[in-house]
Amino acid sequence: MKDKRLTCFEAACIVAGNGIGGGLMALPFLANRAGWPGTLAVLICAWAVTVVLHLMVSDMLLAAKNGSGILSLFNEFLFKGRLKSALTAAFFILLSATLFFNLSAYISGGADIITGLFGFSPAASKLITYALAAAVPVFGLKILGISEKATVIMMFAAAAGLAAVSFARGGNALTVMPEGAGSLLALYGLAMFSFSALFSVPQAVDGLGRDAAAVGKAVALGVGMNLAMSLIICFASLYASREVTEVAIVGWSAALGLPVKIAGSLLILFAMLTSFWAISLALSDMACEQFKIGKMKWLAFLCSTAPCLLLSLFSGATFTSFVGVAGGAVAVIIALLLLPAYWNACGRSRGHGHGHGRGSGRGSGRGSWRGSWRGRAPLVIAIGFFYMLMAAGAVLAAF
């Protein structure tokens, strides 16, 4: 389809699909330690912080004069002077490597599910996962939006079915008090990583015709769907599982049987695929923008994602190790680069007004969730603090 325009719900599903990933089944183990009131408070806090950061990114994209991706934001708002070209090239390499590890994680994780369900060899399962993962985004943004919408709906249907069985047959008392502050922080770190959909924001901005109000709704709804899915999985699995395991589906299926294992495994596989779809298209678009590729974007997509398949096949690394590298790199990008870029964008917009560049008119000022750029210091400091907490929580969650 040549038409790239998305509906608001399709854009929200791209955001949700990007965020709903492999960390989903790890949340209940930490939630059990945090207690159900703490889990509810932590997940809502993670949702709010994630939405604010993603809206900051959308505002920068709407204000940008050149380009429409994450890399273009740093090129315009952060990298300056004689070293600008060198810094842009270096960051392109860093960001590409980060996304390679991220996508390799989803190939390895999806392959583990396929091997467990059908008994294929690990190598064959990785090839099957890559084929399923590449079949959608290679056709562009509109097909991605339609596919994400259909898959997210199926995921919620599966989660609702699992919840219904769990609450009908389970009966375990939910913990109330957290084991300690560390348990809450660990849950927060994993939730923030699970909710992150940073690379889908440019797709929402482009697909919604740079309409700031529509983008804001899509971001809030998309991360909200991730929140809803996480709450369903956490409370249903905790209520049903006699033993809460590190990977929730293990204890969950042990308590409720094979049908739950199959449904839960397919839910995880869909989560891996939807995350791969959004991130791989972001990687391909970044490569096309960097190398000025206007035609044969499908070939650029295959060339930019094939290294991820090779990495998963021959590196010997596991899903957990891939996610650890990717998660750490994304945290560094946000803390050290994204927030300073936003600060600079705020200063430029305050000095020149809203109506400049490609962000003028409908996509720039009208419908913006803030209405002005004033008060940027408290916002940047607060978000930076919450992402430092995320980094600390991620370390606690890992160990």
Side-chain angles (χ1 to χ4, degrees):
M1 291 185 185
K2 294 183 178 180
D3 181 17
K4 291 175 59 177
R5 286 300 298 268
L6 301 172
T7 66
C8 188
F9 186 66
E10 287 170 350
C13 288
I14 290 177
V15 174
N18 184 178
I20 299 173
L24 187 64
M25 286 293 172
L27 286 172
F29 182 75
L30 297 176
N32 188 49
R33 295 181 172 184
W36 74 261
T39 296
L40 189 62
V42 165
L43 292 183
I44 291 174
C45 177
W47 169 81
V49 174
T50 302
V51 168
V52 170
L53 179 80
H54 288 48
L55 290 174
M56 291 165 69
V57 173
S58 72
D59 267 2
M60 285 192 287
L61 290 165
L62 293 168
K65 295 179 180 179
N66 303 300
S68 58
I70 298 296
L71 181 63
S72 65
L73 295 182
F74 297 121
N75 189 43
E76 182 166 347
F77 295 122
L78 190 62
F79 302 146
K80 306 291 182 182
R82 290 178 294 179
L83 295 178
K84 181 175 181 177
S85 297
L87 289 171
T88 300
F91 185 72
F92 171 74
I93 295 172
L94 171 64
L95 191 55
S96 296
T98 299
L99 296 184
F100 286 159
F101 279 99
N102 209 333
L103 295 174
S104 296
Y106 295 129
I107 293 174
S108 297
D112 290 342
I113 299 299
I114 291 176
T115 297
L117 287 176
F118 303 107
F120 297 136
S121 69
S125 296
K126 288 175 181 178
L127 291 172
I128 294 170
T129 303
Y130 178 74
L132 293 172
V136 168
V138 72
F139 292 106
L141 184 58
K142 183 60 179 179
I143 295 297
L144 174 66
I146 294 172
S147 301
E148 292 273 15
K149 177 174 66 175
T151 308
V152 167
I153 290 172
M154 287 191 292
M155 290 171 64
F156 269 100
L162 288 171
V165 173
S166 298
F167 288 118
R169 297 176 55 186
N172 297 319
L174 301 181
T175 57
V176 177
M177 297 301 297
E179 294 182 2
S183 62
L184 295 172
L185 189 58
L187 177 63
Y188 173 77
L190 182 61
M192 288 290 288
F193 177 76
S194 298
F195 287 4
S196 178
L198 188 65
F199 298 102
S200 65
V201 178
Q203 296 160 359
V205 171
D206 282 347
L208 293 172
R210 307 182 64 79
D211 184 337
V215 171
K217 293 175 183 177
V219 167
L221 178 59
V223 183
M225 285 192 275
N226 202 332
L227 170 65
M229 179 71 72
S230 299
L231 289 172
I232 292 171
I233 296 300
C234 281
F235 288 117
S237 64
L238 291 178
Y239 190 73
S241 301
R242 300 185 186 93
E243 177 186 1
V244 181
T245 53
E246 290 193 33
V247 179
I249 193 62
V250 176
W252 205 355
S253 60
L256 298 181
L258 183 61
V260 168
K261 178 180 179 180
I262 294 173
S265 297
L266 290 175
L267 179 61
I268 300 171
L269 178 60
F270 287 152
M272 298 284 184
L273 291 177
T274 55
S275 296
F276 187 101
W277 291 343
I279 294 174
S280 62
L281 185 59
L283 174 62
S284 176
D285 288 344
M286 186 177 69
C288 289
E289 186 174 316
Q290 185 69 14
F291 296 109
K292 312 299 181 186
I293 299 174
K295 298 180 179 180
M296 298 185 71
K297 290 189 175 183
W298 63 271
L299 182 59
F301 175 86
L302 294 176
C303 290
S304 60
T305 58
C308 309
L309 173 62
L310 298 176
L311 192 60
S312 68
L313 283 170
F314 301 114
S315 68
T318 63
F319 170 76
T320 303
S321 58
F322 279 131
V323 166
V325 173
V330 169
V332 169
I333 290 169
I334 291 172
L336 299 183
L337 296 175
L338 189 60
L339 293 178
Y342 177 77
W343 179 275
N344 291 339
C346 289
R348 192 182 79 174
S349 183
R350 186 174 62 173
H352 296 90
H354 289 294
H356 64 276
R358 294 191 319 131
S360 60
R362 185 183 183 189
S364 178
R366 190 171 66 195
S368 175
W369 67 290
R370 274 164 311 282
S372 77
W373 296 89
R374 291 177 295 180
R376 55 184 166 141
L379 180 64
V380 171
I381 292 171
I383 295 300
F385 171 75
F386 279 112
Y387 272 87
M388 291 297 291
L389 287 180
M390 171 191 170
V395 172
L396 290 175
F399 298 100

